Each structure stands twice: as C-alpha cells, then as structure tokens.
C-alpha cells in the first residue's frame, strides 16, 4: 500500500515554462514533506520542504504547495531550466518522533531547450 | 570527504553469495538510514539507526538482510544468499536534523 504517490512517472517541459510535479499521500499522520532531486548515478539531494503549519514554501525558482485537506502537495519550478532535468522524489514523515521518510516512486522531469 | 560515502559503488555477484555494503555517514550525524531503489521503483526504506537506540528494522524484506552500525558511525548492510530480486541500488543516508537526509551515491548491486 503506497502511502506517498507520484502518479506521473515522467513530465516534459520546455525551457522557461513552469514545471508542476504532483504528489498525493494517504497517511493523515504525515505532517512534514520534502522534495528530493536525483541525477543519474548520484544519490538524491534535498531540494525543499514544508511542514503542515504552512501551505506554501518558496526557495528561489522552487515553490512547494501543500493542501492538507486534499492530502496533496505540488512542486513548482519557474522558470524551468535544462539543468533541472532529473528524477524528483516526494517524501513524507511525521514530526512526532524520529520517523523515517516514506518516498514516492519519483517523477522524471525532462526540460528541453 | 564531507558527504556520505558508500562502497563499493558497483558490485556484481552470483546468486547465493553473500555481499556486504558499507556506509560512512557525515561526521556527527546521529541518524543513519538504508534505502534501496529497485528498477522502476521508489526509494524503499530498509533500516534506520538513531544514536544508541535499537535500530528500526521494519523495512528489511527478509531475514537474509541485516545491518549493523559500529561505534555510532560506519554501517554495514549484509545480504546473505543473494537472490536476483535483490538487484538494486542501495542508498545510505545520514541526518542530524529530523527529515533532512543526506544521501550517498549508492551501491549498485547486480545479482546474476
């Protein structure tokens, strides 16, 4: 039973446009969400996070939106750049203790020039 | 180095052999995690060490898998009697703060 779902395995976007990556979760105990980015042959790297007390967190070109009632979050990249081409993983945990992160299957983003 | 270090980066083994994968976390990080990524799958949690507490082994897929962390630092993941379905990239991560994991580059295991 997947608790974190990324239903789009891939996404293609033109350079300069907005990339929107979506993530849904089922566990209502999750209250801390992260996005990781992974290039081939490298480990995932932390990108941005959001806790449940907020509905938006912005860091440069990257913004994460959280809709708790819908159990949905999204990552917006504006403007998209070819160097953003990578696999993006959504992850969630609860802050009640040192719980582990539960990851989605990832979405491969391809930004074409 | 400053990051999480894993070895070997690639390992090819025959079915039935044992393998050991090593992880050297970031100095001072109290938490250490093992995940694996099989082809077409997300990151699957395997085991988690936090300080001197008993490890959370809830993600280990079978009793052929075990891990230890010596002296609160280096960790070794051992897979006994490897099977073809064990083929995956095994990722180690460490953290100081809740939630923000720093990953190594992974060990790619291929079981023939």
């Amino acid at each position: 039973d997947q608790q974190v779902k990324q239903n789009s395995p891939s996404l293609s976007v033109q350079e300069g446009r907005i990339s929107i990556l979506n993530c849904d979760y089922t566990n209502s105990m999750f209250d801390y969400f992260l996005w990781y980015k992974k290039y081939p042959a490298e480990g995932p790297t932390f990108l941005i996070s959001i806790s449940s007390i907020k509905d938006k967190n912005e860091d440069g070109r990257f913004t994460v939106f959280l809709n708790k009632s819908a159990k949905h979050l999204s990552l917006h990249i504006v403007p998209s750049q070819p160097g953003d081409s990578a696999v993006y993983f959504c992850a969630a945990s609860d802050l009640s203790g040192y719980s582990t992160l539960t990851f989605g299957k990832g979405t491969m983003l391809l930004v074409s020039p | 180095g400053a990051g999480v270090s894993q070895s070997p980066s690639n390992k090819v083994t025959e079915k039935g052999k044992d393998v050991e994968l090593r992880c050297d976390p970031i100095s001072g990080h109290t938490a250490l995690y093992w995940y694996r990524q099989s082809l077409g799958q997300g990151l699957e949690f395997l085991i988690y060490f936090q300080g001197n507490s008993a490890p959370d082994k809830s993600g280990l897929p079978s009793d052929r898998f075990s891990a230890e962390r010596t002296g609160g630092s280096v960790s070794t993941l051992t897979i006994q009697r490897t099977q073809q379905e064990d083929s995956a990239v095994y990722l180690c991560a460490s953290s100081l703060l809740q939630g923000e994991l720093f990953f190594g580059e992974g060990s790619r295991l291929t079981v023939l």
Side-chain angles (χ1 to χ4, degrees):
Chain A
D1 177 35
Q2 264 197 295
Q3 297 188 66
V4 178
K5 301 177 184 179
Q6 293 178 258
N7 292 321
S8 297
S10 64
L11 175 68
S12 292
V13 172
Q14 279 192 318
E15 182 178 8
R17 300 289 187 110
I18 184 172
S19 295
I20 300 176
L21 297 101
N22 293 304
C23 178
D24 298 289
Y25 62 96
T26 57
N27 188 339
S28 58
M29 296 298 292
F30 287 150
D31 54 11
Y32 187 57
F33 305 90
L34 307 90
W35 286 92
Y36 279 79
K37 175 179 177 179
K38 185 180 184 302
Y39 292 116
E42 294 185 11
T45 55
F46 170 73
L47 188 59
I48 193 169
S49 65
I50 188 168
S51 70
S52 59
I53 60 173
K54 300 175 75 172
D55 56 16
K56 176 183 174 181
N57 189 26
E58 192 171 350
D59 184 2
R61 297 185 296 114
F62 302 91
T63 303
V64 56
F65 296 92
L66 176 63
N67 182 335
K68 282 199 71 178
S69 60
K71 294 191 177 68
H72 177 84
L73 64 154
S74 61
L75 174 68
H76 293 211
I77 307 173
V78 182
S80 302
Q81 298 174 353
D84 296 330
S85 298
V87 177
Y88 289 79
F89 290 98
C90 172
S93 74
D94 67 71
L95 284 173
S96 62
Y98 283 95
S99 71
T100 58
L101 289 179
T102 301
F103 285 84
K105 289 190 175 183
T107 297
M108 179 178 292
L109 173 66
L110 177 62
V111 181
S112 54
Chain B
V4 176
S5 177
Q6 290 188 246
S7 61
S9 54
N10 274 288
K11 175 73 177 178
V12 180
T13 191
E14 293 180 346
K15 178 180 171 181
K17 301 278 190 180
D18 298 352
V19 296
E20 283 190 353
L21 307 175
R22 176 189 166 103
C23 173
D24 204 339
I26 293 172
S27 178
H29 280 192
T30 56
L32 186 148
Y33 307 75
W34 283 98
Y35 283 83
R36 74 175 176 182
Q37 185 180 16
S38 304
L39 190 64
Q41 300 298 312
L43 296 172
E44 175 190 5
F45 165 72
L46 298 178
I47 188 169
Y48 159 61
F49 297 88
Q50 173 59 257
N52 294 321
S53 302
D56 176 356
K57 304 179 182 181
S58 60
L60 295 178
S62 78
D63 59 8
R64 296 186 295 104
F65 288 72
S66 62
E68 60 178 26
R69 187 180 185 190
T70 53
S73 180
V74 172
S75 176
T76 303
L77 176 69
T78 301
I79 309 172
Q80 295 178 311
R81 305 180 302 282
T82 51
Q83 305 293 312
Q84 287 183 331
E85 61 263 28
D86 299 336
S87 296
V89 176
Y90 288 81
L91 290 157
C92 177
S94 68
S95 73
L96 182 58
L97 297 173
Q98 164 71 18
E100 294 188 23
L101 275 61
F102 294 83
F103 283 87
E105 294 188 350
S107 293
R108 180 177 295 277
L109 174 66
T110 303
V111 182
L112 302 176

